[in-house]
Structures are given as structure tokens and as C-alpha cells.
């Protein structure tokens, strides 16, 4: 059980921010602060992954509240999946890529404040658009270097955009060549 974790993504219907408007409400709404105790008490699971759309507030104080809630439950926040915000680490425009890197760095800082040791970021990119490995790897390289400074690994998952092709995930991790940039293979994607 020490290696098992659970994500808040699977509870999307219990969070107002991710429940479809036409979906009937079942029970009380859930907050991120409640999740560590819920998983610990109901499932005996103490490793919690957070989904970014479930953040009520984007403040450092809120991130520390989540960390305290996890510690109180005898749990840890292991990772944050970054979705629901606009960024594209494969954008053809260098200035847009840098804005995306800066946004991901803010979320990496938030992950560190929550106690997480990793953050999953998407590559971005559109179907049919050519994949520029060097530009994308440069972004993930910057994130890996930043992550090393704050203790948060950057993860690349086969999760939409250019990362839909698993070989692109492998190519990015190899091109970055930094142990602070890892792959997060999802066999369900």
C-alpha cells in the first residue's frame, strides 16, 4: 500500500469545477483539502495526486493548506497533473513557448508548496502540426533545471498533442537527458 496512490481526477463529478453542468449533483461537493483524509480513511491510500482544475485558489497559502491536510491524514501529495489552463510547450512561436514555460514553473512552485515531488505537463501541439523536438525538449529542459532547484521533477505523459505519439515522449526525455525530466506512461491513453 505504500506504493499505491490515487488521483483526484477520478472524483471529477464531486468537484463543482469539473462536474458537467447537466450532471446531477450526488452528495456534498468535495474540496482538495478533504481528499487526503477521504483516501486515507476509506481506501487506506496515503499517496495523493492532484488535478489542477480542482484547485479552489491559486495562492501559496492554499497550497500549504493542502499540504497540511495531507500531513494531518498521514498522507503525501505526490504529483499534480497540469490541465485546464492554456499553455503549449510545443508552440511554433518561441515567445509563446517561453510564456508556457513560465506558467508551468508557477505550477511547479505550487507543487513544491503542496509537498509534491513531481508535476505532469502536457507538450501541447495540434494534430497535423509538425513536431519540433528541439523546441519542445528545450522547454522541458528548462523545466527540469528549475525542478532540480526546487525539488520537483517534470513529467511528460502521452496525454494529447504531440505526446499522443509515445515515441515523442521517449524522444523528449532522451533529448533533455536530465534525471529531473521523466516519462509518465499512461497505458489507458
Amino acid at each position: 500500500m505504500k506504493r499505491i496512490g490515487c488521483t483526484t481526477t477520478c472524483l471529477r463529478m464531486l468537484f463543482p469545477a469539473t462536474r458537467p453542468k447537466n450532471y446531477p449533483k450526488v452528495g456534498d461537493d468535495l474540496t482538495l483539502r478533504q481528499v487526503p483524509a477521504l483516501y486515507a480513511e476509506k481506501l487506506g491510500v496515503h499517496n495523493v495526486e492532484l488535478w489542477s482544475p480542482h484547485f479552489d485558489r491559486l495562492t501559496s497559502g492554499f497550497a500549504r493548506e493542502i499540504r497540511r491536510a495531507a500531513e494531518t491524514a498521514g498522507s503525501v501529495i505526490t504529483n499534480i497533473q497540469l490541465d485546464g489552463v492554456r499553455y503549449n510547450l510545443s508552440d511554433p512561436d518561441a515567445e509563446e513557448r517561453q510564456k508556457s514555460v513560465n506558467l508551468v514553473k508557477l505550477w511547479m512552485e505550487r507543487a513544491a508548496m503542496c509537498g509534491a515531488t513531481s508535476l505532469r505537463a502536457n507538450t501541447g501541439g495540434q494534430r497535423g502540426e509538425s513536431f519540433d523536438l528541439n523546441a519542445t525538449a528545450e522547454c522541458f529542459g528548462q523545466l527540469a533545471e528549475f525542478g532540480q532547484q526546487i525539488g520537483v521533477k517534470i513529467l511528460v505523459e502521452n496525454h494529447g498533442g504531440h505526446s499522443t505519439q509515445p515515441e515523442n515522449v521517449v524522444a523528449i526525455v532522451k533529448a533533455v537527458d536530465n534525471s529531473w525530466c521523466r516519462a509518465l506512461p499512461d497505458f489507458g491513453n
Side-chain angles (χ1 to χ4, degrees), residues 98-149:
Q98 193 57 51
K99 287 179 187 176
S100 295
V101 166
N102 294 340
L103 176 89
V104 175
K105 283 181 178 181
L106 289 172
W107 275 95
M108 290 174 78
E109 289 173 339
R110 193 164 293 126
M113 288 180 245
C114 288
T117 57
S118 63
L119 178 125
R120 187 271 287 144
N122 295 312
T123 58
Q126 302 297 318
R127 186 177 300 268
E129 184 179 87
S130 67
F131 172 55
D132 185 341
L133 171 61
N134 292 330
T136 305
E138 179 188 339
C139 291
F140 277 93
Q142 287 181 50
L143 295 170
E145 289 173 14
F146 180 70
Q148 188 170 4
Q149 295 170 17

Side-chain angles (χ1 to χ4, degrees), residues 6-188:
C6 202
T7 182
T8 62
T9 308
C10 61
L11 299 175
R12 70 183 74 214
M13 299 306 182
L14 299 177
F15 284 88
T18 54
R19 181 176 49 245
K21 300 213 183 310
N22 61 349
Y23 192 86
K25 183 176 174 183
V26 179
D28 294 332
D29 289 337
L30 197 57
T31 69
L32 281 183
R33 289 180 304 284
Q34 295 169 308
V35 171
L38 174 76
Y39 284 162
E41 293 166 13
K42 301 285 185 188
L43 305 174
V45 172
H46 294 276
N47 296 308
V48 180
E49 178 185 67
L50 306 176
W51 192 29
S52 63
H54 291 154
F55 276 72
D56 297 338
R57 289 174 277 139
L58 302 179
T59 64
S60 56
F62 183 68
R64 285 190 282 275
E65 285 177 34
I66 294 168
R67 183 180 193 148
R68 281 191 297 277
E71 290 169 350
T72 299
S75 299
V76 295
I77 305 302
T78 58
N79 184 51
I80 294 177
Q81 295 182 45
L82 182 54
D83 293 314
V85 292
R86 188 193 170 304
Y87 68 102
N88 183 351
L89 297 169
S90 294
D91 196 294
D93 182 84
E95 189 175 311
E96 290 301 315
R97 282 195 312 275
Q98 193 57 51
K99 287 179 187 176
S100 295
V101 166
N102 294 340
L103 176 89
V104 175
K105 283 181 178 181
L106 289 172
W107 275 95
M108 290 174 78
E109 289 173 339
R110 193 164 293 126
M113 288 180 245
C114 288
T117 57
S118 63
L119 178 125
R120 187 271 287 144
N122 295 312
T123 58
Q126 302 297 318
R127 186 177 300 268
E129 184 179 87
S130 67
F131 172 55
D132 185 341
L133 171 61
N134 292 330
T136 305
E138 179 188 339
C139 291
F140 277 93
Q142 287 181 50
L143 295 170
E145 289 173 14
F146 180 70
Q148 188 170 4
Q149 295 170 17
I150 65 169
V152 175
K153 290 180 180 68
I154 188 71
L155 305 180
V156 187
E157 180 182 1
N158 52 313
H159 189 258
H162 294 306
S163 69
T164 301
Q165 305 277 1
E167 57 271 15
N168 289 346
V169 174
V170 173
I172 292 166
V173 172
K174 283 184 174 182
V176 172
D177 192 26
N178 183 322
S179 63
W180 288 85
C181 177
R182 305 267 177 105
L184 176 63
D186 186 333
F187 298 101

